[in-house]
Amino acid sequence: MGHWDGFKGDKWRTSVDVRDFIQKNYTEYKGDDSFLEPAAESTEKLWERLQELFEVQHEKNGVYDMDTNIPATITSHEPGYLIKEEETIVGLQTDVPLKQAFMPYGGINMANNALVSNGYEMDDEMTKIFSDWRKTHNQGVFDAYTPEMRAARKNKIITGLPDAYGRGRIIGDYRRLALYGIDFLIAEKKKDLSNVGNKVMMDDIIRLREEVSEQIRALADIKEMATYYGFDISAPAKNAQEAIQWTYFGYLAAIKSQNGAAMSIGRISAFLDIYIQRDLDNGVITENQAQEMIDHLIMKLRMVKFARTPEYNQLFSGYPIWATLSIAGMGVDGRSLVTKSDFRILHTLINMGPSPEPNLTVLYSSHLPEGFRTFASHIAKESSSIQFENDDLLRANWGSDDCAIACCVSATVMGHDMQFFGARANLAKAVLYAINGGVDEKTKAQVGPKFRPMTGDTLDYNEFVERYKDIMDWLAELYVNTLNVIHFMHDKYAYEAPQLAFMETELKRTFATGIAGISHATDSMMAIKHGNVKVIRDEDGLAVDYVPANEFPTYGNDNAEADACANWILEYFMTQIKRQHTYRNSTPTTSLLTITSNVVYGKATGNTPDGRRAGKPLAPGANPSYQDGKFLGEKNGLLASLNSTAKLEYTNAQDGISNTQTINPNGLGKDDATRVNNLRNVMDGYFDNGGYHLNVNVFTTDLLLDAQAHPEKYPNLTIRVSGYAVKFRDLSPEQQADVISRTAHDRM
Amino acid sequence: MGHWDGFKGDKWRTSVDVRDFIQKNYTEYKGDDSFLEPAAESTEKLWERLQELFEVQHEKNGVYDMDTNIPATITSHEPGYLIKEEETIVGLQTDVPLKQAFMPYGGINMANNALVSNGYEMDDEMTKIFSDWRKTHNQGVFDAYTPEMRAARKNKIITGLPDAYGRGRIIGDYRRLALYGIDFLIAEKKKDLSNVGNKVMMDDIIRLREEVSEQIRALADIKEMATYYGFDISAPAKNAQEAIQWTYFGYLAAIKSQNGAAMSIGRISAFLDIYIQRDLDNGVITENQAQEMIDHLIMKLRMVKFARTPEYNQLFSGYPIWATLSIAGMGVDGRSLVTKSDFRILHTLINMGPSPEPNLTVLYSSHLPEGFRTFASHIAKESSSIQFENDDLLRANWGSDDCAIACCVSATVMGHDMQFFGARANLAKAVLYAINGGVDEKTKAQVGPKFRPMTGDTLDYNEFVERYKDIMDWLAELYVNTLNVIHFMHDKYAYEAPQLAFMETELKRTFATGIAGISHATDSMMAIKHGNVKVIRDEDGLAVDYVPANEFPTYGNDNAEADACANWILEYFMTQIKRQHTYRNSTPTTSLLTITSNVVYGKATGNTPDGRRAGKPLAPGANPSYQDGKFLGEKNGLLASLNSTAKLEYTNAQDGISNTQTINPNGLGKDDATRVNNLRNVMDGYFDNGGYHLNVNVFTTDLLLDAQAHPEKYPNLTIRVSGYAVKFRDLSPEQQADVISRTAHDRM
């Protein structure tokens, strides 16, 4: 059979247009989950073997094995297998399952630190090569940083910057490889190259020309890599197995050569379903085999590992790699994009049990078929392993029904957008800088401009607002320029050729900033306005503690004033961000997302005027405070909390608004069916209401306490923490304590 | 004695200002050469040893030895010596005299080609490192080149581009190291770094910040390198020996880590003389010792070697490295900058015989003291090893009396200017493209735009001029943009940190283009206008030969119309160059200079309308044609030729106008004294007349013919070829033939 036999449509045939191919060929599925098949025998065997390896890995603190002296490239390793004869989809990052590759391009010190901190020896020759002869991203960044940038970083008013790790979050459209084969993609890139620039060689044109050449070289390398596994990927995939395999090879090239923080695979379900459906229709495969291949693909995504440093693990706890896989969503023509393969992918959480990776993300809308919404709610409740994003907002704001999520909540149009990831600024700490005239409350260093501090026994609201604006002005400028340095150097020293090879040459680039501590900043403003906050100063006159005398409105309780205040902060900061020059004239965005760095941020942040205690974790992402400050916390239940979050203006936070919620099963209803229905109804309402994202956990705090005490009983307990899921036992004790202290709603 | 004891002036003490130091402290010398001392015993021993090594090197085709697997850095090698105990000035590029370092940053293929073509084996590990992990300049350039650029390069309408070798021509002001010591220079660069940019991180600011950080690192490396030789260069030099040694260490760092085509040392004579004079005044050293140190420094400069490829040697024949050393010149205050050390430096050509390196360059003015002008004329006549540049033009055009020459004729203000070197466009070949509608006359490829070809049996002048302008428009744009690519990548992959560390952070950058074939273009235009040129076409209708029926005016014979035509071409082309965007907004310049690439250019250029035969060398630089086309050649003697060249407008060719002349000694006069006086008078007149440059050879063609036949008789025969000197025996047979065919004037 010819590779395109039976496919409809023309536009996608002559130039790269995967979306057009999908729209012309996919089969919407409106039924329920009754067609699904259990795990195949091969799946059982492979999964058993993998679980053994995971167990070894767990015993060795998350590191099964590490390379020490093979700088990872697309072609650096021999082929590797779990159990070769059982695998329908093949390909590992290195030659051994779970072995972590050596990736020095981001920074040789980090690569060496990852080795040494995990008990491996660093290699002198590699150290010499990547110090004396080959400069790395990290060195480049620090060569250009200003003292102010270093101070802001050291004092953690800006934290988690991708200057010591790969920025990630770039999703190649790996489907292109399956649909077109690599030769066509190389030819298209060569055509692009001939049209980059109008002959006038401005710096940006020269840079782009070099990048496209790098992409072409990467494509050739991928072709070579595939031959190691016995595949010729020159031509398009001819059947479902090849389609899955080709797509995975594209992704594999990325994770072989790049260790970005988030290495997402994008939106592949409707695309792959077209091939699966064709094979099913032609009687080439059975449903059991379809599920087998999907299970095997997902198993591969569960195996992705990167060598990390302890500092990195503190920021992003539980070894996440964000192999985010987006499913479902609506089409602009009113059909949903739900296919049987969207079910199959969710079903992997049953066939192989819950798992943090891939980071399964449902692009949700109340317009999705009820069968799918119900099934997804069921899986969410059962596994606490999936997340939901508002597909109606995505389509409206990104102008496409082919969006995917990178990392946790960052939207990107497949093949057309890339993101410059930028970590986050701590706006809770900024509140304290506003009060203390730019002096850090923990280190006592003058980090911000030498503004006048606020004096007086209590805080004047109007005075505070002016000062807070001044600090945000300063912070936004410094932050964006710090990121400008980072992304310039990342492009220079650690360019992601294999990912960008699967994208348009002319990209839309977003410049993603981020905000930490929105709820604490909001509550602090409300406290200053309404709480008559008394200031306590240390011997140097530095404000170090705050005592609100009166109750005040807080964010997370559906209070109009507090929620409007959160939106004001967001809008003001974003406006300042937008004023700045951004690298490659990228489009500035921001996110309300902390991942698990909320713990690190909180540790670095002193007492806040809302009554939150110094050192306590910030609430993650856009979550309301769950701290025990006298007047704090979600007091009005799940729906009130969701309402507050839903009011946050997505147009001001187009990099996403993360919301993680834990619901006591009993709060959802008394039996499973009721719980599933209620959860689905809650989500329908929340997303219709403008909520952007929901991480759903369904369990009790008691379960976590038991898992904390008896980890051996819960090897696979998976929970959503903040835009991603982790195995509970892989969290640090600190992170476990934070998760346990979070609100578990026992009522709606 | 304190390092600055006895020195006058204040300005130079608190911030870097070497010129101010010189102006306040140098001792002008107006006497003759009678004070000079012969070579010291140590000099004799060292020079004898070096000549033995040179002989071995000559027998081994110019390569004494080569590193194959130590990528050269400032600190990559153990110290090396010629005869350690005899050397007053120490420091070698590698650990063994004349051993060529392995320098892969410009391009691993070139570095390997240099090895293999010289009988060495390339190292697989190095090849892997500099292919897979560390990209090189050459790869970057070719990644960004357009097909049009490749075609222009391949068809040699643009040739010699520094895309496969280091651009060179950057002169660090190494005197700074002697005057200030390295710690002060590091502190100043750190101060600069804090002031690069106003916090807004535009790409150019980020780039410059990184570069300054690289410079600071290079300075620290130089400090370490000096310790290998037992010196602590933290503080300023305390005496003449240290001043020479520190200055040389600065230069040594450059030649250890960079293999730019021209690695010039700049203008150091008056500066060093201040230290020598102070030591002489204090009775610390004798004149004999002063000459000894100068001889030893110059000997080091005679030893500089780089690994080169056969292709490179074709372009730049005779292993030149352009360790150009500029002496003399006038000050803006009317004093000359001639010191006894300017005599001492010239005297090295007597003490150690003639030598092509360092490329001794006299900044000439008729206002220089007569004693010096006479001595320089004497040395030129004796050695045919030195060149002269018009210092009056330099001061007027560059606004400084601290200019130095980089390479052959490129002016640069010490420490304040750098150049982006750009090889040259072949304007003689462009004449043929104008006639043939952009089709190359040798390869028949369509290289230029598909303009209509000129038809008809003879060439119409007005029609030709319009077409020639169109071709020059195209060529200038393509040429500048090709160079934009090259310099972007050179900065990215082979940045010259150790040179730029000795320069201002905010530099004036010139963008040096170049023209080959000016005389043939001019003569062709004159032939078309006055010669009634008959066109001969091949079977494809391509014009392949030209027969001028009548005599026509030619360039080089003091003919007003022909000389004006040369100026028109220069001005028109330069105007087109100036219209383009230039990398880093550098200031465009051009040169009339071919070095020895005139042979390669000529080989690639078909018959020209002036009657010049296909394949024959172009006249070098701005030299008039010496080809035997019926109506061609210098017919009116030396002075007429000089007059023509002097009319070329330097303001349109600020990268220099190269003029090489050979004079039969008998043509200069019947005895040595007369010859010296006449040569001096000729130069006084030529430079007063606006001539920019003169390469002086005084010998007969018979001498060269004898040297061609009996090379063993002339191991040290040195001649000026085109902005530099070579040992005649090191020229290729082709180059020797070209030199022999050049006009040797036997009358003035």
Side-chain angles (χ1 to χ4, degrees), chain A residues 438-696:
Chain A
V439 174
D440 191 274
E441 76 285 356
K442 302 279 278 193
T443 65
K444 304 203 175 185
Q446 181 78 48
V447 178
K450 300 185 195 75
F451 289 137
R452 286 190 297 279
M454 290 179 77
T455 51
D457 291 340
T458 56
L459 296 169
D460 178 76
Y461 180 70
N462 292 326
E463 190 190 344
F464 172 79
V465 170
E466 290 310 308
R467 285 161 191 266
Y468 195 39
K469 284 159 69 177
D470 288 343
I471 282 290
M472 285 197 282
D473 293 359
W474 161 76
L475 184 57
E477 181 182 359
L478 177 64
Y479 182 24
V480 169
N481 282 305
T482 304
L483 291 176
N484 285 334
V485 169
I486 290 170
H487 293 294
F488 178 97
M489 293 300 174
H490 207 299
D491 276 353
K492 183 169 182 181
Y493 293 109
Y495 180 70
E496 298 92 343
Q499 282 133 292
L500 290 148
F502 294 108
M503 301 175 76
E504 298 300 294
T505 295
E506 289 294 339
L507 290 170
K508 178 183 168 191
R509 297 181 179 84
T510 55
F511 188 96
T513 62
I515 291 170
I518 186 79
S519 67
H520 305 288
T522 303
D523 292 352
S524 291
M525 281 187 71
M526 290 294 95
I528 294 168
K529 188 171 184 186
H530 297 289
N532 192 27
V533 175
K534 194 183 154 199
V535 181
I536 296 168
R537 297 196 160 74
D538 70 3
E539 63 280 10
D540 302 320
L542 202 69
V544 292
D545 204 0
Y546 306 89
V547 183
N550 313 327
E551 199 168 1
F552 50 87
T554 58
Y555 169 76
N557 292 293
D558 205 8
N559 175 287
E561 187 182 2
D563 297 345
C565 178
N567 262 323
W568 177 84
I569 294 170
L570 174 59
E571 181 174 10
Y572 188 86
F573 191 66
M574 189 61 212
T575 302
Q576 302 315 307
I577 293 283
K578 282 183 186 162
R579 290 172 63 187
Q580 315 301 326
H581 159 73
T582 51
Y583 177 61
R584 295 184 99 156
N585 299 314
S586 44
T587 306
T589 61
T590 202
S591 66
L592 299 169
L593 167 76
T594 55
I595 313 187
T596 48
S597 65
N598 64 307
V599 174
V600 169
Y601 279 102
K603 204 183 279 188
T605 306
N607 296 311
T608 42
D610 58 353
R612 174 195 147 277
R613 299 295 76 205
K616 288 276 186 180
L618 303 187
N623 269 68
S625 169
Y626 47 85
Q627 295 303 321
D628 58 357
K630 193 170 163 192
F631 304 115
L632 300 178
E634 292 151 282
K635 295 169 177 148
N636 299 339
L638 175 66
L639 297 181
S641 175
L642 293 178
N643 282 343
S644 280
T645 318
K647 277 183 240 171
L648 291 168
E649 190 48 69
Y650 179 66
T651 50
N652 281 327
Q654 294 207 2
D655 196 48
I657 298 168
S658 166
N659 186 16
T660 302
Q661 292 292 352
T662 301
I663 314 169
N664 187 322
N666 291 328
L668 272 179
K670 53 187 180 311
D671 58 62
D672 270 351
T674 312
R675 289 168 187 160
V676 167
N677 281 335
N678 277 339
L679 179 56
R680 190 194 61 219
N681 292 338
V682 164
M683 290 200 291
D684 284 353
Y686 172 66
F687 288 119
D688 281 351
N689 212 7
Y692 176 72
H693 167 257
L694 198 61
N695 253 332
V696 179

Side-chain angles (χ1 to χ4, degrees), chain B residues 54 56-64 66 100 117-118 260-262 301-310 312-323 355-357 595-596 721 724-733 735:
Chain B
F54 277 152
V56 176
Q57 177 180 264
H58 178 71
E59 279 157 26
K60 294 168 81 175
N61 294 313
V63 178
Y64 181 83
M66 291 182 117
Q100 299 174 5
S117 63
N118 286 298
L301 301 181
R302 292 183 175 193
M303 295 171 71
V304 184
K305 288 294 290 180
F306 293 107
R308 303 292 191 195
T309 65
Y312 183 95
N313 290 337
Q314 269 202 313
L315 275 181
F316 307 133
S317 190
Y319 320 120
I321 66 108
W322 290 280
S355 171
E357 301 284 357
I595 310 185
T596 49
V721 278
Y724 71 106
V726 293
K727 289 192 182 174
F728 184 76
R729 70 174 184 177
D730 288 340
L731 286 174
S732 66
Q735 298 279 359

Side-chain angles (χ1 to χ4, degrees), chain B residues 496-509:
Chain B
E496 298 92 342
Q499 281 134 292
L500 290 147
F502 294 109
M503 301 174 76
E504 298 300 294
T505 295
E506 290 294 340
L507 289 170
K508 179 184 168 190
R509 297 181 179 84

Side-chain angles (χ1 to χ4, degrees), chain A residues 54 57 65 67 70-82 87 90-103 225 228-229 248-249 251-260 263 299-308 319 321 323:
Chain A
F54 277 151
Q57 177 180 265
D65 197 3
D67 271 345
I70 303 172
T73 65
I74 297 170
T75 55
S76 53
H77 285 83
E78 299 290 303
Y81 301 91
L82 197 51
E87 293 173 66
V90 296
L92 299 181
Q93 287 174 284
T94 65
D95 50 348
V96 171
L98 303 186
K99 188 167 78 172
Q100 299 174 5
F102 176 67
M103 293 182 163
M225 175 197 77
Y228 302 170
Y229 285 95
Y248 175 64
F249 274 148
Y251 177 72
L252 183 61
I255 56 173
K256 269 179 173 282
S257 59
Q258 276 285 338
N259 58 348
M263 297 295 285
M299 210 180 324
K300 286 289 184 294
L301 302 181
R302 291 183 177 193
M303 294 171 71
V304 184
K305 289 293 291 181
F306 293 107
R308 302 294 192 195
Y319 320 119
I321 66 107

Side-chain angles (χ1 to χ4, degrees), chain A residues 66 86 117 151 178 186 194 251 300 325 415 442 533 585 618 633 690 712 735:
Chain A
M66 293 181 115
E86 303 291 346
S117 63
I186 290 174
S194 69
Y251 177 72
K300 286 289 184 294
L325 194 169
K442 302 279 278 193
V533 175
N585 299 314
L618 303 187
E712 69 288 354
Q735 298 278 1

Side-chain angles (χ1 to χ4, degrees), chain A residues 719-738:
Chain A
I719 64 168
R720 304 284 317 171
V721 279
S722 173
Y724 71 106
V726 292
K727 290 194 182 172
F728 185 75
R729 70 174 183 177
D730 287 340
L731 287 173
S732 66
E734 242 168 358
Q735 298 278 1
Q736 289 188 345
D738 174 46

Side-chain angles (χ1 to χ4, degrees), chain A residues 105 133-135 139 143-145 199 201-203 207 209-210 213-214 217 481 492-493 581, chain B residues 105 133-135 139 143-145 199 201-203 207 209-210 213-214 217 481 492-493:
Chain A
Y105 300 103
W133 306 330
R134 206 297 191 177
K135 195 167 170 175
Q139 176 75 68
D143 274 359
Y145 268 175
K199 303 186 176 183
M201 291 290 157
M202 308 297 288
D203 290 3
R207 175 172 53 197
R209 291 188 63 83
E210 185 184 21
S213 292
E214 290 280 351
R217 201 146 40 232
N481 282 305
K492 183 169 182 181
Y493 293 109
H581 159 73
Chain B
Y105 298 103
W133 307 331
R134 206 301 192 176
K135 194 167 172 177
Q139 176 76 69
D143 275 358
Y145 269 174
K199 303 186 177 182
M201 291 291 155
M202 309 297 287
D203 290 3
R207 174 172 54 197
R209 291 188 63 83
E210 185 184 22
S213 292
E214 290 281 352
R217 203 148 36 232
N481 283 307
K492 184 170 182 181
Y493 293 109

Side-chain angles (χ1 to χ4, degrees), chain A residues 379-394:
Chain A
I379 294 291
K381 180 188 80 64
E382 288 299 306
S383 70
S384 293
S385 297
I386 66 177
Q387 65 176 353
F388 299 85
E389 321 255 348
N390 188 334
D391 189 64
D392 298 331
L393 280 179
L394 292 182

